[in-house]
Amino acid sequence: MINIPKGTKDVLPQDAYRWHYLENTMRDVARLFCIDEIRTPVFEHTELFLRGVGDTTDIVNKEMYTFEDKGGRSMTLKPEGTAGVARAFIENALYANPQPTKMYYITPVFRYERPQAGRLREHHQFGIEYFGASSPLADVEVMTVAATLFKRLGIGNLSLRINSIGCPECRVRYNVALRAYLQSRLDDMCPVCRERFDKNPLRILDCKEAGCKAITAQAPVTLDYLCDECRTHHEQVCAGLDAIGMAYEIDPHIVRGLDYYTRTVFEFISSNIGAQGTVCGGGRYNNLVEQVGGKPTPAVGFGMGIERLLLTCEQLGLPLGQAYAPDYYIAPLCEDAKGLAANLAAQLRDAGKAVSVDLLDRGMKAQLKYANKIGARHVVLIGEDELAGNRVNVKDMTTGESTMTQPSATAIVAADGKGERI
């Protein structure tokens, strides 16, 4: 037997309705904010992620699924959604449209990492990307999109944490202070962080090693090194959140794990899924479009793990829709009834009804048992007596009552409680 690869998971038929419920809710929330869908390829040129995500990030250094195609080109299964959307924004000249360009996606992403609760090597993300808006109000609206989705789903145990990591100019001053703090502590840090010290010390703040986290807990914070423009932006983001009554905490230790972030970074944290409790993370990335070949374009967005969202809903006991069930199960009880059964099924489906028909030549008791097991609301029984009288027997599986009626979709639908009781 060939088993499923480690870090992946099947979505089984009996569970698919929960995914559909979440995805439909996401699409509905996106519609409320006038955000259009974008779909990008599952793999891109590796260079896109090297330039966009950053070659000092864990994603690029440790987690990407990279392969060489038959043409000798280096390709990578996308480890996150934003870089591909930025590439599409440039390549398809979406910058020529009226701005801002507001897009969402629901996509699989791939990271070679240790599987954990709500995070798999192939997992799925719901993401929002706003291009062309530098206003702090865009940051606030993006966070509001996430908060609206959580509210729709009934998730109320989340905390919003925000920070600002400034612009590249702020970063130069901050990196000097951070290196000065870390210099005497390098011997106590992991090998990866020692390597990051010279290349990109900000990445050290994202290390998950306990020893490194203990050291960086007392490190200088980015908020103390913001330029006037970045400080004003941060203050206006906070004022915008205050204006709409959205609760938040300022967390100076949030930097996010991707190099493209500038200014605002944020996370929605759940206490219901263990230590890695981030169910949504995002922020502003004003330099990304330029880094991957476009003109300078302000941008802000978020990514949300769908598996983690499912896990959070399950931990809270929240409803995720209802399992699919047929409106009608048609049960032919003899060979001559099969043609009429197929005809009625087609009529009912044309009328918008979900219909299942016996395909295994079961007896009547077995068919009724099966119809009950799959949750069919009605069973249409067609036996020799029904054929002789040009009737069908419609059984309501909730009340147990049966009705004889004409063999047509219109009559069957109308027969619910209105036909000849038997």
Side-chain angles (χ1 to χ4, degrees), residues 19 23 41 72 76 134 139 151 158 164 180 188 207 223 250 256 274 276 279 292 307 344 365 388:
W19 284 74
E23 291 166 3
T76 296
S134 60
D139 306 39
K151 184 177 180 180
L158 297 173
S164 176
D188 298 322
C207 183
L223 290 173
I250 295 177
R256 301 296 298 151
Q276 302 297 321
V279 291
V292 296
E307 282 86 353
L344 290 175
K365 288 185 177 179

Side-chain angles (χ1 to χ4, degrees), residues 223-265:
L223 290 173
D224 292 336
Y225 294 85
L226 299 181
C227 66
D228 290 343
E229 189 174 344
C230 288
R231 185 175 303 282
T232 298
H233 184 95
H234 177 63
E235 290 171 351
Q236 291 177 347
V237 169
C238 294
L241 292 170
D242 291 336
I244 62 174
M246 187 181 297
Y248 63 92
E249 302 172 31
I250 295 177
D251 185 343
H253 299 291
I254 293 176
V255 295
R256 301 296 298 151
L258 307 170
D259 281 353
Y260 53 61
Y261 282 114
T262 57
R263 292 189 174 174
T264 305
V265 287

Side-chain angles (χ1 to χ4, degrees), residues 208-384:
K208 303 301 187 292
E209 294 287 338
C212 296
K213 288 177 70 174
I215 291 172
T216 57
Q218 302 302 319
V221 297
T222 56
L223 290 173
D224 292 336
Y225 294 85
L226 299 181
C227 66
D228 290 343
E229 189 174 344
C230 288
R231 185 175 303 282
T232 298
H233 184 95
H234 177 63
E235 290 171 351
Q236 291 177 347
V237 169
C238 294
L241 292 170
D242 291 336
I244 62 174
M246 187 181 297
Y248 63 92
E249 302 172 31
I250 295 177
D251 185 343
H253 299 291
I254 293 176
V255 295
R256 301 296 298 151
L258 307 170
D259 281 353
Y260 53 61
Y261 282 114
T262 57
R263 292 189 174 174
T264 305
V265 287
F266 67 88
E267 295 179 349
F268 283 87
I269 308 292
S270 169
S271 60
N272 288 88
I273 55 173
Q276 302 297 321
T278 302
V279 291
C280 174
R284 183 163 282 281
Y285 45 97
N286 289 347
N287 300 321
L288 177 61
V289 173
E290 187 176 10
Q291 287 170 358
V292 296
K295 296 179 179 180
T297 304
V300 61
F302 70 68
M304 182 184 301
I306 297 179
E307 282 86 353
R308 285 201 173 186
L309 196 58
L310 277 168
L311 185 58
T312 301
C313 291
E314 290 170 357
Q315 295 281 359
L316 295 173
L318 299 175
L320 290 167
Q322 293 183 330
Y324 300 127
D327 296 309
Y328 295 92
Y329 176 82
I330 301 181
L333 304 179
C334 60
E335 188 67 27
D336 292 341
K338 292 180 178 178
L340 178 58
N343 182 275
L344 290 175
Q347 290 184 44
L348 286 165
R349 289 167 183 151
D350 285 344
K353 303 298 182 181
V355 180
S356 182
V357 183
D358 176 61
L359 301 175
L360 298 182
D361 294 326
R362 297 180 175 95
M364 184 175 74
K365 288 185 177 179
Q367 291 198 56
L368 287 172
K369 183 178 180 180
Y370 175 73
N372 186 61
K373 187 172 292 187
I374 64 174
R377 297 175 180 87
H378 302 86
V379 175
V380 180
L381 297 158
I382 311 171
E384 293 179 353

Side-chain angles (χ1 to χ4, degrees), residues 38-323:
I38 185 168
R39 303 186 187 192
T40 61
V42 122
F43 61 92
E44 300 267 6
H45 290 284
T46 303
E47 183 185 6
L48 175 67
F49 303 112
L50 295 178
R51 292 171 62 181
V53 175
D55 60 5
T56 63
T57 62
D58 282 349
I59 289 176
V60 169
N61 281 330
K62 303 177 183 178
E63 300 172 1
M64 294 203 310
Y65 281 90
T66 297
F67 60 95
E68 190 175 278
D69 71 7
K70 292 183 178 180
R73 295 169 289 256
S74 180
M75 299 290 176
T76 296
L77 298 178
K78 59 181 171 185
E80 57 90 51
T82 303
V85 176
R87 190 267 313 148
F89 177 81
I90 301 165
E91 188 168 352
N92 296 283
L94 299 183
Y95 50 79
N97 297 336
Q99 297 302 307
T101 299
K102 298 159 60 172
M103 296 173 280
Y104 79 89
Y105 52 83
I106 298 172
T107 185
V109 294
F110 305 86
R111 297 183 188 177
Y112 189 85
E113 57 185 343
R114 182 176 62 83
Q116 55 186 288
R119 174 61 64 85
L120 301 169
R121 290 176 176 174
E122 181 198 32
H123 60 279
H124 299 78
Q125 285 188 356
F126 170 54
I128 298 292
E129 317 290 358
Y130 281 24
F131 290 92
S134 60
S135 168
L137 294 178
D139 306 39
V140 173
E141 181 166 301
V142 163
M143 287 183 255
T144 307
V145 174
T148 301
L149 175 62
F150 296 138
K151 184 177 180 180
R152 283 287 187 96
L153 295 173
I155 301 174
N157 68 326
L158 297 173
S159 62
L160 169 61
R161 302 179 188 178
I162 69 171
N163 188 26
S164 176
I165 58 174
C167 63
E169 288 73 23
C170 306
R171 203 80 49 80
V172 171
R173 295 193 302 275
Y174 177 68
N175 283 346
V176 170
L178 183 59
R179 284 194 179 100
Y181 169 81
L182 294 173
Q183 181 72 60
S184 63
R185 299 167 172 84
L186 277 179
D187 291 343
D188 298 322
M189 305 190 77
C190 72
V192 174
C193 284
R194 290 198 293 270
E195 183 179 339
R196 288 169 171 170
F197 179 79
D198 292 317
K199 291 183 177 180
N200 189 350
L202 187 69
R203 290 272 59 81
I204 295 175
L205 302 180
D206 195 49
C207 183
K208 303 301 187 292
E209 294 287 338
C212 296
K213 288 177 70 174
I215 291 172
T216 57
Q218 302 302 319
V221 297
T222 56
L223 290 173
D224 292 336
Y225 294 85
L226 299 181
C227 66
D228 290 343
E229 189 174 344
C230 288
R231 185 175 303 282
T232 298
H233 184 95
H234 177 63
E235 290 171 351
Q236 291 177 347
V237 169
C238 294
L241 292 170
D242 291 336
I244 62 174
M246 187 181 297
Y248 63 92
E249 302 172 31
I250 295 177
D251 185 343
H253 299 291
I254 293 176
V255 295
R256 301 296 298 151
L258 307 170
D259 281 353
Y260 53 61
Y261 282 114
T262 57
R263 292 189 174 174
T264 305
V265 287
F266 67 88
E267 295 179 349
F268 283 87
I269 308 292
S270 169
S271 60
N272 288 88
I273 55 173
Q276 302 297 321
T278 302
V279 291
C280 174
R284 183 163 282 281
Y285 45 97
N286 289 347
N287 300 321
L288 177 61
V289 173
E290 187 176 10
Q291 287 170 358
V292 296
K295 296 179 179 180
T297 304
V300 61
F302 70 68
M304 182 184 301
I306 297 179
E307 282 86 353
R308 285 201 173 186
L309 196 58
L310 277 168
L311 185 58
T312 301
C313 291
E314 290 170 357
Q315 295 281 359
L316 295 173
L318 299 175
L320 290 167
Q322 293 183 330

